[in-house]
Amino acid sequence: MWLINSSIGRKVVMSVTGIALILFLTFHCCMNIVALFSGKAYNAICELLGANWYAVVATMGLALLAVVHIVFAFILTAQNRKARGDSRYEVATTVNGDNVVEKFASRNMLVLGIIILLGLLLHLFNFWYNMMFAELFPSIHFDAAPADGFGKIVNTFGNPIFVVLYVIWICAIWFHLSHGFWSALQTLGWSGKTWECRIKWIGLIYVSLLMLGFLVVVLAFAFGCAPSLCCC
């Protein structure tokens, strides 16, 4: 099958899975921002998205997308290094050679991907394991009620170590997406210097706003600027 056996096919798979994960991040960011205004509303969303059949199916689907994206990233990286020696993974050359952020991101996609993967494992333990897993297996003792996502946010970002780790994680995702967003669209057919330049700017602005949303939530809870559950 050409999607698996050819280099172009692998890039298409990476692009499609990457865009799907960006869409999920967008939903996740919007959900997190709700916590800045109302703890009860945030917990209501957590309860709605609790451990029911569609939540489990969605979780499995997201996990599959992430695994496929990561596996194909390693395959493409190994393939490109074998073909180009010490060159890093890069889907296409940059239009503006002076774009330091883009050049750094394109040359360090694997390293950024590893940081993102480690951050994802930490995030899954802090939230998914202690919420959805707790609801699936109620006989196991957990620190908080499964649907008390607001409480988990307060507890997690009340720890300075977790705050630093999440900030590093968010920065790594920003660098990764600043290159990945436009390269994914280019792989899927958005070519040409005019549109390539526009997509880069659109992607950079979109990704920056998206990561800023996550960062604001982390810092708001870290510095005690978010509302308490009882007054929401």
Side-chain angles (χ1 to χ4, degrees), residues 215-227:
L215 186 61
V216 166
V217 172
V218 172
L219 297 181
F221 280 90
F223 290 99
C225 301

Side-chain angles (χ1 to χ4, degrees), residues 67-89:
V67 169
V68 170
H69 191 79
I70 292 168
V71 169
F72 275 67
F74 277 102
I75 292 174
L76 282 170
T77 299
Q79 175 184 309
N80 286 340
R81 286 190 172 181
K82 182 179 180 180
R84 303 176 187 175
D86 294 329
S87 297
R88 296 290 193 267
Y89 163 79

Side-chain angles (χ1 to χ4, degrees), residues 25-105:
L25 285 175
T26 302
F27 166 77
H28 198 359
C29 182
C30 293
M31 176 180 171
N32 285 359
I33 290 176
V34 172
L36 294 177
F37 301 95
S38 173
K40 289 183 179 180
Y42 182 80
N43 279 350
I45 296 175
C46 291
E47 186 174 2
L48 178 65
L49 300 175
N52 42 60
W53 68 269
Y54 55 83
V56 173
V57 170
T59 300
M60 293 175 63
L62 286 169
L64 179 62
L65 286 174
V67 169
V68 170
H69 191 79
I70 292 168
V71 169
F72 275 67
F74 277 102
I75 292 174
L76 282 170
T77 299
Q79 175 184 309
N80 286 340
R81 286 190 172 181
K82 182 179 180 180
R84 303 176 187 175
D86 294 329
S87 297
R88 296 290 193 267
Y89 163 79
E90 189 171 6
V91 174
T93 56
T94 60
V95 173
N96 183 359
D98 297 327
N99 191 330
V100 178
V101 172
E102 185 181 322
K103 290 174 70 176
F104 173 84

